[in-house]
Amino acid sequence: MKVNQQLKQYEVIGRKLPTDTDTCPPLYKMTIFAPNETTAKSRFWYFLSQLKKMKKSTGQIVNIKQVFEKRSGVIRNYGIWLRYDSRSGTHNMYREIRDVSLVGAVTTLYREMAARHRCRDRSIQIIRTDTVAAKDCKRPSTLQLLNSKIKFPLPHRIVPSMIKSKFAAKRPSTFFG
């Protein structure tokens, strides 16, 4: 699974093929983050074969649909529980990421895990995702952004009046400190 572009959230529902003994097998539903439907189906069968005695040749996908967030565009704190394989073993982890959408937060998570832990995308398994209230945040990287009086410096501002004419008598000044 390549994470070149933004991931998408899919809801995949599958089951074992009906047989004479089991005419109505139970349905299994998973939320999968993948770049496309084909990868989402593949990840679904990978995870389901780990959980149940079932594989793609003995099962069927009943429904697959892309899930869109109702209110994206609002900054939130997302808590993501995951499991990943490193060179030394398997580790469980909890991460907090601030983003405007859940798929953006998961995409950031995949890129951050690759950067900080040299973790390949195929070895990451997302266990659970949730929005976290500001009072429940734990990580210092998230807590520093929750300050209501936070200010960011604007060191190199270009005012539109500075680029109005092609030729000017003096060089524009971008420092207003």
Side-chain angles (χ1 to χ4, degrees), residues 22 24 81 98 110 132 135 139 145 160:
D22 190 11
C24 190
W81 288 260
R98 276 175 70 84
Y110 271 94
V132 181
K135 62 181 172 64
R139 303 292 185 252
L145 296 170

Side-chain angles (χ1 to χ4, degrees), residues 19-38:
T19 59
D20 295 335
T21 55
D22 190 11
T23 55
C24 190
L27 296 170
Y28 299 101
K29 180 170 85 169
M30 279 189 204
T31 301
I32 306 282
F33 294 94
N36 52 41
E37 268 192 30
T38 309

Side-chain angles (χ1 to χ4, degrees), residues 12-122:
V12 186
I13 302 171
R15 68 176 185 173
K16 203 171 204 175
L17 282 170
T19 59
D20 295 335
T21 55
D22 190 11
T23 55
C24 190
L27 296 170
Y28 299 101
K29 180 170 85 169
M30 279 189 204
T31 301
I32 306 282
F33 294 94
N36 52 41
E37 268 192 30
T38 309
T39 311
K41 288 178 191 175
S42 174
R43 299 297 288 167
F44 173 78
W45 289 119
Y46 171 75
F47 291 129
L48 197 63
S49 65
Q50 287 183 340
L51 297 169
K52 299 288 177 187
K53 194 171 180 180
M54 192 185 317
K55 56 185 182 177
K56 186 180 175 185
S57 61
T58 60
Q60 70 180 131
I61 300 274
V62 177
N63 187 18
I64 181 167
K65 65 177 181 178
Q66 187 176 348
V67 178
F68 297 99
E69 229 171 318
K70 289 187 178 100
R71 268 187 71 217
S72 67
V74 179
I75 192 87
R76 289 191 193 90
N77 306 312
Y78 292 100
I80 302 173
W81 288 260
L82 65 122
R83 173 185 165 180
Y84 75 99
D85 297 320
S86 71
R87 293 172 190 151
S88 59
T90 305
H91 310 284
N92 292 323
M93 187 181 279
Y94 167 74
R95 297 193 77 88
E96 286 176 358
I97 295 172
R98 276 175 70 84
D99 210 304
V100 292
S101 68
L102 180 59
V103 290
V106 172
T107 305
T108 304
L109 170 94
Y110 271 94
R111 292 191 178 137
E112 203 172 278
M113 290 297 291
R116 291 182 194 269
H117 300 280
R118 302 290 183 263
C119 186
R120 305 291 179 262
D121 48 10
R122 62 187 162 272

